[in-house]
Amino acid sequence: MPDQGARGAIRTRREPPPFRTASVAEVEELGPRMLRVVAGGSELCDFATPEPAASIRVLVPAPGDRLVLPQWNGNEFLMPDGERPLLRTFTPVVVDANSGLIEFWVVRHPGGAVSGWAETAQPGDPLAISGPGSGYELPDAARSLLILGDETAIPAVRQLAGLAAQAGLSVEAHVEVIDPGAVLDLGFDVRWHVTQPGAVAGRRLVEVVDAVAHLDEGVHVWAAGEASAMQAIRKRLFDALGVERTRTSVRGYWKPQRG
């Protein structure tokens, strides 16, 4: 239910860009923990060029059902029957508006609404995409970028490290994965932190920040991953290290499913 204001008025959120229908063009296995999906279609031909580490919403049909576009109710997208649609947020890896193609990477995990779809998706299968959402703009004052992310943030980590390197900044990137096979060649040095299935998500990233005694003024921080881990990182940066919020971008990408 949308939030109620002091006078009982419904507080509405800004409506995201409308969904554009498309179909699967290609699915490729990048490793035991990652799938590369390419969507294509004429409605993607004027898709706006996203900023680095931007977002798109990907909508897929329920198993055995046809694709139905949800409607914005002022607070969230809902299906005609009032149910929430099967959609998740991803970082667009490639947006080729000339060809009407958008590439995104999906972490493979049991029970995932879109990851389960991606495991069996075939060329021609329908989907829809909304976006892009806002990304990250490298501050002029930045001299170095500390990047922290889990598997869901790998595409954004890859983009931001490239952006920082092009700008002549030094880059230190840490990525947490739960399987050695999830380690990918991103084209630059990454400090991979391999945990075990069942371990507390994001704990290794929190430990990286806990080990930092001081961050010089020119160091900016970008972090994304499991929400509670990101909250712990914020607390360490702001309360213990005294880092100005303008030098950080810390995003909770997901929360664990409750059984």
Side-chain angles (χ1 to χ4, degrees), residues 9 15 28-29 39 41 47 68 79 87 93 115 141 147 173 180 187 214 217:
E15 183 173 357
E28 177 188 7
E29 183 181 86
F47 202 86
V68 177
M79 302 301 287
L87 66 85
V93 175
S115 64
I147 305 174
H214 173 73
E217 289 188 5

Side-chain angles (χ1 to χ4, degrees), residues 146-231:
L146 173 61
I147 305 174
L148 307 124
D150 64 14
E151 290 175 288
T152 64
I154 286 177
V157 170
R158 180 171 173 258
Q159 292 174 359
L160 293 177
L163 174 70
Q166 289 177 3
L169 276 63
S170 62
V171 179
E172 181 178 328
H174 297 262
V175 177
E176 178 184 290
V177 296
I178 68 169
D179 187 312
V183 174
L184 301 174
D185 182 4
L186 301 182
F188 57 90
D189 290 335
V190 177
R191 302 184 189 185
W192 295 93
H193 302 268
V194 181
T195 66
Q196 299 297 323
V200 176
R203 184 64 242 173
R204 298 294 296 275
L205 299 178
V206 175
E207 291 172 353
V208 169
V209 180
D210 283 346
V212 174
H214 173 73
L215 283 179
D216 293 336
E217 289 188 5
V219 180
H220 286 241
V221 181
W222 185 93
E226 193 277 326
S228 62
M230 294 303 106
Q231 183 59 37

Side-chain angles (χ1 to χ4, degrees), residues 95-117:
V95 173
D96 185 347
N98 290 328
S99 301
L101 297 173
I102 294 179
E103 175 185 332
F104 57 97
W105 295 0
V106 181
V107 175
R108 309 171 80 171
H109 61 286
V114 175
S115 64
W117 168 87

Side-chain angles (χ1 to χ4, degrees), residues 19-32:
F19 277 98
R20 302 161 182 255
T21 58
S23 61
V24 174
E26 182 181 358
V27 178
E28 177 188 7
E29 183 181 86
L30 296 179

Side-chain angles (χ1 to χ4, degrees), residues 24-86:
V24 174
E26 182 181 358
V27 178
E28 177 188 7
E29 183 181 86
L30 296 179
R33 290 282 298 173
M34 192 76 76
L35 291 172
R36 169 182 171 268
V37 179
V38 180
S42 60
E43 293 187 16
L44 303 181
C45 286
D46 61 347
F47 202 86
T49 301
E51 299 173 317
S55 63
I56 55 173
R57 286 180 172 90
V58 175
L59 170 77
V60 301
D65 203 351
R66 63 188 181 90
L67 181 71
V68 177
L69 300 185
Q71 298 296 316
W72 183 252
N73 74 344
N75 187 57
E76 62 180 334
F77 282 111
L78 292 176
M79 302 301 287
D81 60 4
E83 294 293 320
R84 290 183 173 176
L86 295 183

